[in-house]
Amino acid sequence: MPSRLVVLASGSGSNLQAVLDHGVGHGNGSIDASVIGVVSNRIDAYALVRADEADIDTELVTLLDGEDRRDYDTRLAGAVASFEPDWVVLAGWMRLLTTNFLDHFPDRVINLHPALPRQLPGIRAIERAWSEALAGERSESGVMVHLVPDEGVDDGPVLASRAVPIDVSGTLEAFAATVHDAEHELLVETLTKLCASDSS
Ligand code: GAR
């Protein structure tokens, strides 16, 4: 049986698209899995449009006025659990998750981050890497996929990572595009391995 993936996305969803394009039933299908649900916290997330176009169920879980983040995470966990996922994939999910969410899916939540392990956690990692490179403080950054066991930010057991060199004679936009290409590939490769071992 193909693994069941639920993707959580807050933004454009280019990584969701990479997973969709390589899942079961697609020409490039290397991942023995189907995305069975896409959940977003933002009504304007283009990831929701991509899911609709691919005929995948979506769920919008927005933060209510004054809602505590742990209460939000309990509601979010309910929405995600209703899909009965094998893996929960954070692909541009821009909210920190508490144990109220994570404890529902032990060892089954993976996150993608546009930096190397233990470097540049948090938002705008690509822009921060670029600024450091311009200041002569770094010559490469990268991408990683890791498990999310606890409330650490962009941290946890690393499943895969890849360095991306920074060419400061180019532009931030060109560097960002290279990082995004690398993360699309790394996410697909990692899910291909994880889902293959699910079925073995
Ligand atoms: C990706 O670069 C992803 O690595 C990053 O958000 C972007 C989402 O792009 N995630 C983080 O920064 C997590 N801290 P997408 O919506 O086009 O997939």
Side-chain angles (χ1 to χ4, degrees):
M1 280 286 284
S3 304
R4 298 167 64 83
L5 307 182
V6 170
V7 176
L8 271 60
S10 305
S12 124
S14 68
N15 285 284
L16 164 67
Q17 192 67 55
V19 176
L20 290 174
D21 291 346
H22 291 81
V24 160
H26 288 81
N28 302 326
S30 64
I31 310 173
D32 187 15
S34 297
V35 177
I36 38 122
V38 171
V39 179
S40 186
N41 58 325
R42 294 188 57 111
I43 194 165
D44 58 350
Y46 191 67
L48 291 171
V49 176
R50 295 180 192 268
D52 279 342
E53 284 174 354
D55 228 2
I56 288 163
D57 286 346
T58 60
E59 192 84 47
L60 178 65
V61 186
T62 52
L63 188 67
L64 305 175
D65 269 355
E67 187 176 29
D68 178 86
R69 58 195 281 253
R70 292 186 184 273
D71 294 338
Y72 173 86
D73 280 2
T74 301
R75 277 198 305 123
L76 181 69
V80 172
S82 69
F83 288 108
E84 301 182 4
D86 294 310
W87 293 100
V88 179
V89 182
L90 311 181
W93 176 255
M94 302 313 267
R95 278 188 64 83
L96 300 179
L97 292 171
T98 65
T99 48
N100 283 41
F101 179 88
L102 296 168
D103 287 354
H104 288 266
F105 311 101
D107 298 323
R108 289 281 150 175
V109 179
I110 74 169
N111 182 45
L112 172 70
H113 185 60
L116 289 170
R118 292 169 291 286
Q119 296 184 15
L120 302 165
I123 60 170
R124 302 179 66 76
I126 297 174
E127 289 81 354
R128 285 183 286 137
W130 179 254
S131 298
E132 290 182 12
L134 289 182
E137 293 160 6
R138 68 163 62 235
S139 58
E140 65 172 24
S141 188
V143 296
M144 72 161 160
V145 181
H146 65 96
L147 288 169
V148 186
D150 56 31
E151 298 182 10
V153 179
D154 296 315
D155 194 20
V158 177
L159 297 170
S161 68
R162 185 162 301 161
V164 175
I166 306 179
D167 173 8
V168 287
S169 70
T171 62
L172 168 60
E173 291 69 28
F175 169 57
T178 312
V179 171
H180 290 310
D181 286 348
E183 64 184 356
H184 298 159
E185 276 181 29
L186 196 71
L187 182 60
V188 168
E189 285 172 23
T190 307
L191 286 172
T192 298
K193 283 187 199 143
L194 283 178
C195 297
S197 54
D198 268 353
S199 54
S200 65

Short mmCIF file of all heavy atoms in Angstrom, two decimals, residues 11-15 92 94 112-114 122 154 180 183, ligand 1:
data_model
loop_
_atom_site.label_atom_id
_atom_site.label_comp_id
_atom_site.label_asym_id
_atom_site.label_seq_id
_atom_site.Cartn_x
_atom_site.Cartn_y
_atom_site.Cartn_z
N GLY A 11 2.69 28.53 2.56
CA GLY A 11 3.02 29.49 1.51
C GLY A 11 2.80 28.96 0.12
O GLY A 11 1.78 28.32 -0.17
N SER A 12 3.77 29.20 -0.73
CA SER A 12 3.61 28.94 -2.16
C SER A 12 3.43 27.46 -2.50
O SER A 12 2.78 27.11 -3.49
CB SER A 12 4.82 29.53 -2.89
OG SER A 12 5.45 28.57 -3.66
N GLY A 13 4.03 26.59 -1.72
CA GLY A 13 3.81 25.16 -1.94
C GLY A 13 4.62 24.57 -3.08
O GLY A 13 4.25 23.54 -3.63
N SER A 14 5.77 25.18 -3.40
CA SER A 14 6.57 24.58 -4.48
C SER A 14 7.10 23.21 -4.05
O SER A 14 7.26 22.31 -4.89
CB SER A 14 7.71 25.51 -4.92
OG SER A 14 8.68 25.63 -3.90
N ASN A 15 7.37 23.03 -2.76
CA ASN A 15 7.81 21.71 -2.30
C ASN A 15 6.66 20.71 -2.30
O ASN A 15 6.86 19.54 -2.63
CB ASN A 15 8.46 21.83 -0.92
CG ASN A 15 9.84 22.44 -1.02
OD1 ASN A 15 10.78 21.78 -1.42
ND2 ASN A 15 9.95 23.73 -0.71
N GLY A 92 7.40 24.16 4.22
CA GLY A 92 7.08 25.58 4.27
C GLY A 92 5.97 25.86 5.26
O GLY A 92 5.14 26.75 5.05
N MET A 94 5.09 27.57 8.48
CA MET A 94 5.79 28.65 9.15
C MET A 94 5.22 28.96 10.54
O MET A 94 5.10 30.12 10.93
CB MET A 94 5.81 29.90 8.26
CG MET A 94 6.45 29.66 6.91
SD MET A 94 8.05 28.79 6.97
CE MET A 94 9.15 30.17 7.00
N LEU A 112 11.37 20.39 6.47
CA LEU A 112 12.34 20.80 5.47
C LEU A 112 12.80 22.19 5.86
O LEU A 112 11.97 23.03 6.24
CB LEU A 112 11.57 20.85 4.15
CG LEU A 112 12.24 21.42 2.93
CD1 LEU A 112 13.33 20.47 2.48
CD2 LEU A 112 11.19 21.57 1.83
N HIS A 113 14.11 22.43 5.79
CA HIS A 113 14.62 23.76 6.14
C HIS A 113 15.72 24.17 5.16
O HIS A 113 16.58 23.34 4.85
CB HIS A 113 15.15 23.76 7.58
CG HIS A 113 15.57 25.12 8.04
ND1 HIS A 113 14.69 26.19 8.11
CD2 HIS A 113 16.78 25.61 8.42
CE1 HIS A 113 15.33 27.26 8.52
NE2 HIS A 113 16.59 26.94 8.72
N PRO A 114 15.70 25.42 4.71
CA PRO A 114 16.68 25.83 3.69
C PRO A 114 18.00 26.28 4.30
O PRO A 114 18.44 27.43 4.09
CB PRO A 114 15.96 26.97 2.96
CG PRO A 114 15.11 27.59 4.01
CD PRO A 114 14.69 26.48 4.94
N GLY A 122 14.93 29.06 11.86
CA GLY A 122 13.95 30.15 11.85
C GLY A 122 13.66 30.65 10.45
O GLY A 122 13.99 30.00 9.46
N ASP A 154 13.66 24.08 13.78
CA ASP A 154 14.42 23.58 12.64
C ASP A 154 15.59 22.71 13.11
O ASP A 154 16.73 22.83 12.64
CB ASP A 154 14.91 24.75 11.76
CG ASP A 154 13.73 25.50 11.15
OD1 ASP A 154 12.80 24.85 10.66
OD2 ASP A 154 13.72 26.74 11.20
N HIS A 180 16.08 26.40 -3.69
CA HIS A 180 14.75 25.77 -3.86
C HIS A 180 14.86 24.51 -4.74
O HIS A 180 14.24 23.49 -4.43
CB HIS A 180 13.74 26.76 -4.43
CG HIS A 180 13.38 27.84 -3.44
ND1 HIS A 180 12.98 27.55 -2.15
CD2 HIS A 180 13.38 29.18 -3.53
CE1 HIS A 180 12.76 28.68 -1.49
NE2 HIS A 180 12.99 29.68 -2.30
N GLU A 183 16.17 21.81 -2.53
CA GLU A 183 15.25 21.26 -1.53
C GLU A 183 14.16 20.42 -2.18
O GLU A 183 13.74 19.41 -1.62
CB GLU A 183 14.71 22.32 -0.57
CG GLU A 183 13.86 23.38 -1.15
CD GLU A 183 13.48 24.42 -0.10
OE1 GLU A 183 13.80 24.28 1.08
OE2 GLU A 183 12.81 25.39 -0.50
C1 GAR B 1 11.06 26.49 1.71
O1 GAR B 1 12.26 27.14 1.35
C2 GAR B 1 11.23 25.76 3.03
O2 GAR B 1 12.47 25.15 3.16
C3 GAR B 1 11.05 26.91 3.99
O3 GAR B 1 9.95 27.61 3.48
C4 GAR B 1 9.99 27.54 2.05
C5 GAR B 1 8.62 27.13 1.54
O4 GAR B 1 8.59 27.15 0.12
N1 GAR B 1 10.84 26.44 5.34
C6 GAR B 1 11.36 27.05 6.40
O5 GAR B 1 12.00 28.09 6.33
C7 GAR B 1 11.10 26.37 7.74
N2 GAR B 1 11.81 27.04 8.76
P1 GAR B 1 7.36 26.50 -0.65
O6 GAR B 1 6.09 27.04 0.01
O7 GAR B 1 7.50 27.01 -2.06
O8 GAR B 1 7.48 25.02 -0.55
#
